[in-house]
């Protein structure tokens, strides 16, 4: 479960900056997202935003997932493990089942080109 409050501020119409270090305890251990990290929360194509917004209950999961996908992240997790952490956090925050499964399967299908390639 999370250790501190997620505090972000918009940079532009797509990205947000993490304003203070953010920690979240996961099945893979403690994940620490550093202050200054840039996230787009959930990368949801506009066509799907009537179903899933870019932020919401899944926001913490999206920020941790973005960090685990980042080339700056030195935590030894595979892409599949990062995606499972994403799902795990969404379950903890009671994201509706259809939303979390849809988001999980979308990152499994389309996420490979983004893993550790900032």
């Amino acid at each position: 479960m999370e250790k501190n409050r997620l505090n972000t501020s918009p940079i532009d119409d797509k990205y947000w900056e993490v304003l203070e270090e953010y920690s979240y305890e996961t099945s893979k251990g403690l994940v620490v997202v550093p202050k200054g990290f840039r996230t787009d929360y959930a990368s949801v194509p506009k066509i799907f935003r009537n179903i899933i917004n870019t932020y919401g209950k899944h926001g913490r999961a999206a920020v941790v997932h973005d960090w685990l996908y980042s080339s700056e992240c030195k935590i030894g997790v595979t892409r599949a493990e990062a995606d499972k952490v994403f799902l795990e956090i969404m379950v903890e925050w009671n994201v509706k089942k259809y939303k979390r499964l849809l988001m999980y399967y979308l990152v499994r299908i389309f996420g490979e080109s983004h893993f550790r390639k900032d």
Side-chain angles (χ1 to χ4, degrees):
M1 198 54 128
E2 97 182 304
K3 298 290 182 197
N4 57 321
R5 183 167 108 50
L6 178 59
N7 188 5
T8 61
S9 179
I11 297 171
D12 55 32
D13 63 346
K14 183 176 180 181
Y15 290 100
W16 296 69
E17 179 179 359
V18 175
L19 297 178
E20 55 191 287
E21 187 176 270
Y22 179 67
S23 303
Y24 202 102
E25 185 67 43
T26 74
S27 60
K28 291 294 175 188
L30 185 67
V31 175
V32 179
V33 180
K35 176 182 178 181
F37 178 67
R38 289 173 39 137
T39 179
D40 66 351
Y41 278 91
S43 306
V44 180
K46 287 183 182 181
I47 193 167
F48 293 116
R49 289 190 189 157
N50 60 334
I51 301 169
I52 300 171
N53 203 337
T54 56
Y55 55 89
K57 278 188 174 183
H58 57 275
R60 291 163 183 83
V63 171
V64 169
H65 187 253
D66 281 359
W67 173 246
L68 292 174
Y69 262 52
S70 170
S71 63
E72 298 171 45
C73 179
K74 303 304 177 200
I75 298 171
V77 296
T78 65
R79 182 176 152 254
E81 290 170 331
D83 294 348
K84 285 190 178 174
V85 166
F86 181 52
L87 180 61
E88 167 190 320
I89 296 171
M90 287 191 290
V91 168
E92 288 177 3
W93 283 89
N94 298 313
V95 174
K96 290 180 181 176
K97 188 174 183 177
Y98 80 90
K99 282 187 180 183
R100 70 178 180 241
L101 291 176
L102 177 60
M103 294 174 76
Y104 172 75
Y105 287 117
L106 288 173
V107 297
R108 290 302 305 143
I109 294 166
F110 298 109
E112 185 172 11
S113 65
H114 300 284
F115 186 69
R116 306 263 164 112
K117 295 181 179 148
D118 290 336

